[in-house]
Amino acid sequence: MSAKGDSFNTWRVYHNDFKAIIGPAPTIELLLQIDEYPFAHEAGVFFPQNNELFITSNQFQDYVHNKKVQISKVLLGDGSEPVRLEKIDCDLIHMANGGVNYKDGVLFCAQGSSTRSSGLFYMQASPPYKVEPVLTSYLERPFNSVNDVVVHEDGSIWFTDPSYGHDQGYRPRPSLPNVVYRYDPATESIRAMADDLGRPNGICFSPDGTTVYVTDTDQVRGPCINYSRVSSIYAFDITYRHGQPALINRRVFALADTGIPDGIKCDTLGNVYSGCGDGINVWSPGGVLLGKIVILGGVANFCFGRNGLIFALNEHRLWRVRLDYGIKGALLGI
């Protein structure tokens, strides 16, 4: 096992099944480092056809001291040349956060501002990166600050809407609870699916699409951390009532022991991965902690590449993690 670029990065095995996931020669390799601003925070949307990765930064102050989030495209190349970062200027997607592959481009979450809408926006994956709004309100009531998004196999769009924008001082007081929503583009209908979470954050589906996992990061509200509040992953079963999906059997899937569980993904075997305060934690489909990909400073979000690769977003650093070649992310199945 090796970690190129930082001797503090390593692997922690809690169950023998984790050894099959990481394989015989796992590595953690630094791809890109930018000290000027935290360029690698959220989204993590991989396009295998071009070997490109779309990411969003954490908040930082621009040259006039306004809060800003930068959308970027990482050109990973074929290994014969250095990894390059292309900044994408897009005023319509204000305070971008999570994202997912959608049609031929990226569906981004815009957290909004005091004057700009929060919601879902579609961006083309190639220049000039044309953007169009997909959804900017719940039945004309403004969203809080849409955080993360995933697309179900039936084409519906599921997303979380915590009040972090207000917590952090750039969105108005919420006019909606903290909710997990489902939007059906075919019928343009939107439904609240779960509203009993403190700060719903990351979201993903099991490989068969019958379970939805939601991270609740209520432990952190703006600058305040309260360790008595939840820092957990919840699982819900998807059932159908009168032909429409509903969530049942809410249960605690896992409690993060270090920091909060932020971005979340599954592999095709059903194992659950989440970016936490000490790196990427991996649980079995039954909720057993199998192991950790330890990355100093933690990981907010990440995504799978091809054949056992993970791209881990570590604020000022982007890492490439090599797992066993047979491991594939459930989202793209590659």
Side-chain angles (χ1 to χ4, degrees):
M1 301 181 185
S2 66
K4 304 174 185 177
D6 198 320
S7 60
F8 291 100
N9 295 342
T10 186
W11 315 83
R12 197 165 297 158
V13 178
Y14 292 91
H15 191 284
N16 278 336
D17 287 354
F18 192 57
K19 296 178 181 178
I21 292 173
I22 63 177
T27 60
I28 305 173
E29 178 185 3
L30 180 63
L31 289 183
L32 188 63
Q33 178 170 337
I34 299 176
D35 295 329
E36 288 74 20
Y37 71 103
F39 75 101
H41 179 62
E42 281 284 357
V45 183
F46 180 64
F47 283 81
Q49 59 270 37
N50 299 318
N51 208 26
E52 296 173 343
L53 179 69
F54 284 81
I55 61 176
T56 60
S57 74
N58 206 337
Q59 299 173 37
F60 64 98
Q61 288 190 335
D62 62 16
Y63 66 95
V64 291
H65 304 293
N66 291 324
K67 287 184 177 180
K68 178 180 179 178
V69 168
Q70 178 68 55
I71 298 174
S72 300
K73 181 166 72 173
V74 181
L75 293 86
L76 298 166
D78 59 6
S80 62
E81 56 186 20
V83 171
R84 294 186 293 118
L85 184 84
E86 176 187 342
K87 294 181 180 179
I88 300 173
D89 292 323
C90 178
D91 192 52
L92 193 60
I93 306 176
H94 200 70
M95 303 295 279
N97 202 66
V100 69
N101 304 76
Y102 187 64
K103 298 180 179 178
D104 294 325
V106 184
L107 188 62
F108 275 115
C109 300
Q111 297 177 95
S113 69
S114 60
T115 58
R116 302 292 185 86
S117 296
S118 176
L120 299 172
F121 292 79
Y122 171 74
M123 173 187 281
Q124 292 179 345
S126 57
Y129 304 112
K130 183 180 178 181
V131 174
E132 58 186 53
V134 174
L135 186 68
T136 56
S137 71
Y138 173 72
L139 304 176
E140 300 186 0
R141 291 174 65 181
F143 291 122
N144 297 329
S145 46
V146 175
N147 189 280
D148 203 5
V149 60
V150 69
V151 180
H152 192 265
E153 60 187 19
D154 67 4
S156 61
I157 299 168
W158 297 55
F159 60 98
T160 58
D161 185 36
S163 54
Y164 274 128
H166 180 259
D167 293 344
Q168 296 169 13
Y170 60 86
R171 284 287 288 160
R173 183 177 296 277
S175 63
L176 288 166
N178 295 295
V179 171
V180 176
Y181 292 100
R182 177 186 184 269
Y183 174 66
D184 185 350
T187 62
E188 298 186 348
S189 65
I190 182 171
R191 294 176 52 211
M193 304 302 291
D195 64 356
D196 52 353
L197 297 159
R199 294 292 185 275
N201 197 320
I203 184 169
C204 78
F205 294 108
S206 60
D208 62 4
T210 63
T211 303
V212 61
Y213 298 98
V214 180
T215 66
D216 189 344
T217 53
D218 196 35
Q219 185 181 104
V220 177
R221 298 183 183 180
C224 301
I225 299 176
N226 185 334
Y227 294 105
S228 68
R229 293 197 294 258
V230 300
S231 180
S232 300
I233 300 171
Y234 292 97
F236 301 80
D237 293 330
I238 301 175
T239 189
Y240 289 84
R241 299 283 189 268
H242 305 286
Q244 293 297 317
L247 297 183
I248 60 171
N249 299 332
R250 167 184 157 146
R251 56 200 179 275
V252 176
F253 176 79
L255 172 67
D257 65 276
T258 305
I260 55 174
D262 196 338
I264 188 167
K265 306 287 191 298
C266 284
D267 64 24
T268 54
L269 301 174
N271 299 307
V272 179
Y273 301 61
S274 185
C276 297
D278 53 358
I280 300 174
N281 292 195
V282 184
W283 292 269
S284 74
V288 174
L289 180 63
L290 301 179
K292 297 183 178 184
I293 304 165
V294 179
I295 295 178
L296 184 66
V299 170
N301 216 328
F302 61 96
C303 68
F304 284 91
R306 293 187 186 90
N307 302 322
L309 290 180
I310 285 180
F311 299 101
L313 308 179
N314 178 224
E315 303 303 318
H316 292 275
R317 294 177 174 182
L318 171 65
W319 300 90
R320 179 167 57 199
V321 180
R322 157 57 61 199
L323 304 178
D324 186 84
Y325 280 79
I327 297 298
K328 301 179 186 298
L331 189 66
L332 298 180
I334 57 172

